[in-house]
Amino acid sequence: MHTVSNPPAPGRAVLPSGAEMAPPVAASPMVSFRGVTKRFADRGGKGEFIALAGVDLEVPKGAITGIIGRSGAGKSTLIRLVNGLENPTSGSVLVDGVDVGGLDETKLRGLRRQVGMIFQHFNLLSSRTVYGNIALPLEIAGLSRAAIKARVAPLIDLVGLSDKAGRYPAELSGGQKQRVGIARALATEPKLLLSDEATSALDPETTQSILDLLKTINRDLGLTVLLITHEMEVVKSIASEVAVIDKGLIVESGRTFDVFTRPRHETTRALLSGLPGTKLPDAITRRLKADGGTGDRIYTRLTFFGATAEQPLIARLMSELGAEVNIITGTIDEIAGEPYGSLVVSYSADPAVLSRAEAFYAQTGLSTEVLGYGA
Amino acid sequence: MAPDMLLALLWKALVQTVHMVAVAGLIGTLVGLPIGVFLANSGRGELFAAPMVNRIVGLIVNATRSTPFIILVVAIIPFTRLVAGTSIGTSAAIVPLTLATIPFVARLIEAAIREVDRGLIEAARAMGASRWQIVTKVLIAEARPGITLALTLTLVSLIGYSAMVGAVGGGGLGDLGIRYGYQRFMPEVMAAVVVVLILLVQAVQSAGDALARRFDKRNRQT
């Protein structure tokens, strides 16, 4: 019947810490972080700041992978290791099988041409037009004027700025600037695109249009995308794989759908609670206790997807429990393109009711999480 | 003084001033610009990281800049003789002028380059740019309005400095004003010199401002 409550399949993006690299069964990963640490000396020269405390992670080819964490979690450092803007203190970073740390200056520049990057603050040259900015990486690569023109024109069309080729960045909106940034990153026809908080400076509507563009590029060009963000919405909307980073460590990773519907780590839960429909009203959160006595009500989150979503579960739950069920909050949404629902309900914490509930959940395969007890 | 004689004197002095300022400005910029670029990018963790060299170069620049120009002119006479073959005259005056211009330009260029957003360097590195490409295609290109204003200021200051090289027979407008206007009590010569200097500085400044505006694409409105 339903298999949704089974433990999630090991996420494709996970490599157990310290594990030997088994020969890849499917495609080899685009990026592998292996035991990566990064320490920065403090300004004063005394003491150090640990940005990454031992990261093992694989970024699959052809997918959009999101690394999410709060500011200061180490995600900016992590993404800068991929194109050698920073070097790891220990461990290694492999891009398509090549150890970035082992490259000399010339080879590193060659690698960087295969890895595009977009930035939170766009980093466009104010002295160059839209055309000139997109042409810059090609000039750097030493292409002829004619070859550059042939490459830039279709890119300007791709990002929808055909009528702005001669404009300067100061004349563009934030979303348009990021489109230029994306076109520039694609100019050298990279196999990997790094996105450093690319939508964090944009309003929600513009964010969505940029995310749609990234999704299109990923689909049509087969480009692997690795993005870092502090916004759950971004990951939820386009990343099929996710890794959650906290205090320099990957605390959870796997398919976005699995991680978001069954968050196991504290940090993931905290980040997810920012999503609308998943947060309990404050008045209730304040009342909740970790343990309940007789007469209390239990607050449970039910998560359902796919087939379970189509059954009259609430009606059945009520009749099975023989007790009244109160709906506190709920949401129906999509995560990485898959439908998903989350419902927080409360009912009597009477032992008889609880055991009937357990039986019902086991029978239907609903995924549940007890949030607490209260009046 | 007869007007035609005054005009002839003024013309000769103007040519000398322009000659000194142009040559000293050109050589000073050619040497000062790379030093300025280096100073702006050689701190710890920067593009040409060399903190020690940075400190030493900075020290030399400061020392040269804090020496009063008229003292510099006299102090380096042996060096001037070595370079120009003589220690008096317009060509000789160009040597101390150039020497004073180099650190001046270097500090101004350093400031202009530091104005460039560090994110652009990171973006250029991410594109696979070499350090040379970052300097030419990003730093200097982006700092062009600031560099233009810096060089304008340099030329204006040079015009002022050039008035002092009369001390070594350098000639020029300033020298004309001192010798005729002040020492021979000819206020009309002094007035004429001042008017020509004002016009000259005004012309240089306006041209520099216009050029900088043309280069500056940062505040364009649709």
Side-chain angles (χ1 to χ4, degrees):
Chain A
M1 261 188 67
H2 306 300
T3 54
V4 280
S5 70
N6 290 343
R12 276 192 286 139
V14 205
L15 179 75
S17 184
E20 286 298 310
M21 269 294 285
V25 185
S28 56
M30 180 57 84
V31 183
S32 309
F33 297 93
R34 296 185 186 171
V36 172
T37 67
K38 177 69 177 177
R39 291 192 287 271
F40 292 103
D42 273 353
R43 268 281 167 201
K46 297 188 183 83
E48 357 170 74
F49 168 71
I50 298 172
L52 297 173
V55 168
D56 291 289
L57 183 71
E58 300 212 332
V59 176
K61 270 188 184 142
I64 300 183
T65 301
I67 296 176
I68 183 161
R70 302 188 188 95
S71 46
K75 50 192 193 304
S76 298
T77 307
L78 192 63
I79 203 168
R80 278 168 177 70
L81 295 170
V82 178
N83 56 1
L85 291 178
E86 301 273 6
N87 294 312
T89 306
S90 69
S92 58
V93 180
L94 276 68
V95 174
D96 211 2
V98 176
D99 187 348
V100 180
L103 298 176
D104 61 27
E105 182 71 25
T106 317
K107 290 213 175 90
L108 183 60
R109 289 211 302 272
L111 175 100
R112 285 171 175 166
R113 278 165 203 166
Q114 299 169 39
V115 180
M117 190 169 191
I118 55 177
F119 304 87
Q120 178 173 5
H121 298 296
F122 324 121
N123 293 349
L124 301 178
L125 269 65
S126 68
S127 59
R128 282 175 174 245
T129 60
V130 167
Y131 181 96
N133 268 288
I134 302 173
L136 181 59
L138 300 170
E139 284 176 29
I140 285 170
L143 266 70
S144 74
R145 202 173 273 266
I148 290 174
K149 197 170 180 186
R151 199 76 84 74
V152 174
L155 281 169
I156 293 182
D157 290 342
L158 175 73
V159 298
L161 292 175
S162 315
D163 54 335
K164 303 270 191 240
R167 298 286 185 170
Y168 288 91
E171 300 170 292
L172 303 177
S173 69
Q176 290 169 334
K177 284 183 203 172
Q178 196 56 288
R179 284 169 184 275
V180 178
I182 291 171
R184 182 177 69 177
L186 296 178
T188 50
E189 296 176 343
K191 52 190 178 188
L192 169 64
L193 179 66
L194 305 175
S195 166
D196 177 12
E197 297 272 12
T199 57
S200 299
L202 303 175
D203 61 64
E205 204 174 313
T206 314
T207 293
Q208 201 50 53
S209 81
I210 293 295
L211 293 180
D212 289 342
L213 177 60
L214 289 178
K215 213 189 281 184
T216 308
I217 289 164
N218 166 255
R219 196 186 53 220
D220 296 352
L221 308 179
L223 187 69
T224 305
V225 178
L226 175 61
L227 61 90
I228 61 167
T229 181
H230 64 274
E231 297 170 312
M232 270 296 179
E233 285 290 347
V234 169
V235 173
K236 198 187 88 176
S237 160
I238 63 166
S240 60
E241 313 282 326
V242 68
V244 182
I245 187 169
D246 187 41
K247 298 189 185 83
L249 283 170
I250 303 288
V251 294
E252 195 165 348
S253 68
R255 286 181 64 235
T256 306
F257 191 77
D258 297 335
V259 172
F260 277 24
T261 50
R262 300 181 201 84
R264 278 169 296 181
H265 195 274
E266 204 55 35
T267 307
T268 318
R269 294 219 178 93
L271 286 164
L272 276 171
S273 70
L275 289 181
T278 55
K279 192 170 164 29
L280 279 180
D282 280 343
I284 291 173
T285 316
R286 269 199 300 276
R287 289 210 306 261
L288 287 185
K289 303 173 289 186
D291 295 298
T294 6
D296 274 343
R297 297 175 70 80
I298 181 169
Y299 287 75
T300 307
R301 182 194 302 281
L302 310 175
T303 308
F304 45 96
F305 1 76
T308 36
E310 282 153 33
Q311 296 192 2
L313 283 168
I314 297 304
R316 281 186 60 199
L317 180 64
M318 285 207 204
S319 68
E320 291 281 336
L321 295 189
E324 149 251 343
V325 174
N326 204 357
I327 297 175
I328 310 295
T329 181
T331 182
I332 305 286
D333 210 340
E334 244 185 31
I335 293 176
E338 292 179 60
Y340 145 88
S342 161
L343 202 58
V344 176
V345 295
S346 77
Y347 45 84
S348 164
D350 185 76
V353 175
L354 290 185
S355 70
R356 285 200 294 276
E358 288 302 319
F360 175 69
Y361 298 145
Q363 181 208 338
T364 52
L366 266 178
S367 162
T368 64
E369 178 197 353
V370 175
L371 301 174
Y373 299 81
Chain B
M1 187 186 287
D4 57 336
M5 213 179 137
L6 177 61
L7 272 178
L9 276 176
L10 274 176
W11 177 250
K12 188 175 168 233
L14 178 65
V15 168
Q16 286 172 334
T17 294
V18 170
H19 176 207
M20 288 187 291
V21 169
V23 176
L26 185 71
I27 301 174
T29 302
L30 288 178
V31 182
L33 185 105
I35 296 177
V37 170
F38 174 79
L39 281 174
N41 291 290
S42 52
R44 190 183 302 278
E46 290 179 324
L47 208 54
F48 299 93
M52 274 310 283
V53 187
N54 178 296
R55 227 163 296 151
I56 292 166
V57 173
L59 215 65
I60 297 172
V61 163
N62 287 347
T64 321
R65 287 199 62 197
S66 45
T67 310
F69 181 64
I70 190 69
I71 294 178
L72 184 79
V73 171
V74 185
I76 64 158
I77 281 179
F79 176 71
T80 303
R81 196 174 288 135
L82 194 74
V83 176
T86 167
S87 61
I88 49 169
T90 307
S91 300
I94 288 174
V95 177
L97 277 175
T98 306
L99 220 59
T101 304
I102 292 169
F104 191 80
V105 168
R107 279 293 183 214
L108 289 175
I109 298 286
E110 178 191 2
I113 298 272
R114 284 207 183 276
E115 283 292 300
V116 178
D117 185 355
R118 298 286 110 173
L120 297 184
I121 298 180
E122 186 174 58
R125 287 179 66 210
M127 283 173 213
S130 65
R131 294 192 288 188
W132 174 249
Q133 285 171 324
I134 293 174
V135 168
T136 55
K137 287 187 182 292
V138 176
L139 291 178
I140 293 182
E142 280 289 296
R144 217 158 46 158
I147 290 175
T148 308
L149 289 177
L151 295 183
T152 305
L153 182 58
T154 304
L155 288 183
V156 169
S157 303
L158 262 175
I159 294 172
Y161 279 169
S162 72
M164 284 182 248
V165 292
V168 289
L173 286 164
D175 186 44
L176 178 68
I178 295 282
R179 284 191 293 118
Y180 284 74
Y182 178 66
Q183 291 166 347
R184 296 191 192 177
F185 303 105
M186 295 172 120
E188 73 277 15
V189 179
M190 184 67 94
V193 162
V194 170
V195 168
V196 172
L197 278 174
I198 289 174
L199 291 176
L200 187 60
V201 167
Q202 200 63 50
V204 168
Q205 190 66 53
S206 301
D209 286 346
L211 207 58
R213 250 198 317 278
R214 169 119 57 104
F215 289 148
D216 196 347
K217 315 291 188 190
R218 284 170 296 191
N219 294 310
R220 292 193 147 211
Q221 294 303 320
T222 31

